Amino acid sequence: MRSLATTFAAAAATVVLFAAPAHAQLPDAAEFTRQVNAFVDGWHDDAAHARPAYFDKIAPNGVYIGTDKSEVWTRDQFKAWARPHFEARKAWAFTAQKRNVYFSSDRRYVWFDEQLNTQMGTCQASGVLRNTGGGFLIEHYQLSLAVPNALVGGFSKAIAEFEGKGSKGMDKDMGKDTDKDKKAK
């Protein structure tokens, strides 16, 4: 019979063997950053061209947080919300103005922040990627409007007034008063 020490040593060796990356050589920081930038730029390009591959780049349990406080979605919820845009072949086009990329020493996790040109003006976003060994998956992405500090007071007031109305009479898709409300004014 095996001794406890021999069994433990065999188990430890197995864990080390399977926990070690398939490739011993990690890409250098500059090359890895280039790979991350290419992935995120490609993901944004998939949306700009309404390619379904956009959603394949989000992990099954990944989270996308949009600009509206109600927009906290899992990948599949986000995909359902975006379906009409992708079916119409007109989604959104984000291009990076700048991006900062950070990663763990084993290159398994990446986090980044970026400023984007969008149809809403300049936005800021941050994300977390997981390196699967065969590519990246987006685990978390949060998009926000970049509001200049000098304008925050006016935006805060407009939001408070909007929320005070309970957003009644607002067209949810367009954020504009409905014809009914225009007649009432």
Side-chain angles (χ1 to χ4, degrees), residues 57-59 61-63 109 128-130 137-141:
K57 293 176 179 173
I58 302 173
N61 292 320
V63 174
Y109 294 97
V128 176
L129 308 178
R130 180 172 43 88
L137 285 175
I138 297 165
E139 294 288 347
H140 187 96
Y141 189 80

Side-chain angles (χ1 to χ4, degrees), residues 34-78:
R34 188 198 63 71
Q35 291 171 11
V36 169
N37 283 325
F39 173 82
V40 178
D41 288 342
W43 182 59
H44 289 316
D45 192 61
D46 286 340
H49 294 93
R51 291 189 288 260
Y54 177 82
F55 297 100
D56 296 336
K57 293 176 179 173
I58 302 173
N61 292 320
V63 174
Y64 186 101
I65 301 174
T67 57
D68 188 279
K69 71 180 185 180
S70 68
E71 297 175 346
V72 180
W73 296 304
T74 62
R75 179 195 64 189
D76 292 343
Q77 290 168 331
F78 182 40

Side-chain angles (χ1 to χ4, degrees), residues 3 10 18 24 51 54 64 66 84 96 113 117 133 165 168:
S3 73
F18 288 105
R51 291 189 288 260
Y54 177 82
Y64 186 101
D113 56 80
N117 292 320
K165 290 181 183 178
K168 292 179 183 173

Side-chain angles (χ1 to χ4, degrees), residues 3-178:
S3 73
L4 184 56
T6 304
T7 302
F8 179 75
T14 302
V15 168
V16 168
L17 214 89
F18 288 105
H23 56 285
Q25 191 74 337
L26 295 173
D28 70 12
E31 173 57 21
F32 192 70
T33 299
R34 188 198 63 71
Q35 291 171 11
V36 169
N37 283 325
F39 173 82
V40 178
D41 288 342
W43 182 59
H44 289 316
D45 192 61
D46 286 340
H49 294 93
R51 291 189 288 260
Y54 177 82
F55 297 100
D56 296 336
K57 293 176 179 173
I58 302 173
N61 292 320
V63 174
Y64 186 101
I65 301 174
T67 57
D68 188 279
K69 71 180 185 180
S70 68
E71 297 175 346
V72 180
W73 296 304
T74 62
R75 179 195 64 189
D76 292 343
Q77 290 168 331
F78 182 40
K79 187 175 183 178
W81 175 86
R83 181 175 290 119
H85 300 285
F86 277 71
E87 287 175 352
R89 306 293 297 158
K90 186 169 169 75
W92 47 90
F94 297 170
T95 55
Q97 296 173 8
K98 72 176 194 171
R99 180 179 301 127
N100 297 303
V101 175
Y102 316 90
F103 44 86
S104 59
S105 60
D106 64 1
R107 312 290 199 268
R108 290 196 61 204
Y109 294 97
V110 177
W111 52 102
F112 64 93
D113 56 80
E114 59 185 357
Q115 286 187 343
L116 302 162
N117 292 320
T118 78
Q119 71 277 8
M120 299 174 280
T122 298
C123 285
Q124 295 189 132
S126 59
V128 176
L129 308 178
R130 180 172 43 88
N131 185 350
T132 66
F136 298 105
L137 285 175
I138 297 165
E139 294 288 347
H140 187 96
Y141 189 80
Q142 182 164 0
L143 178 68
S144 63
L145 293 170
V147 179
N149 287 336
L151 302 178
V152 169
F155 274 93
S156 297
K157 183 179 177 189
I159 291 167
E161 289 173 1
F162 176 81
E163 290 178 343
K165 290 181 183 178
S167 66
K168 292 179 183 173
M170 298 298 284
D171 180 328
K172 288 183 178 182
D173 291 329
M174 302 305 281
K176 297 179 182 173
D177 289 337
T178 60

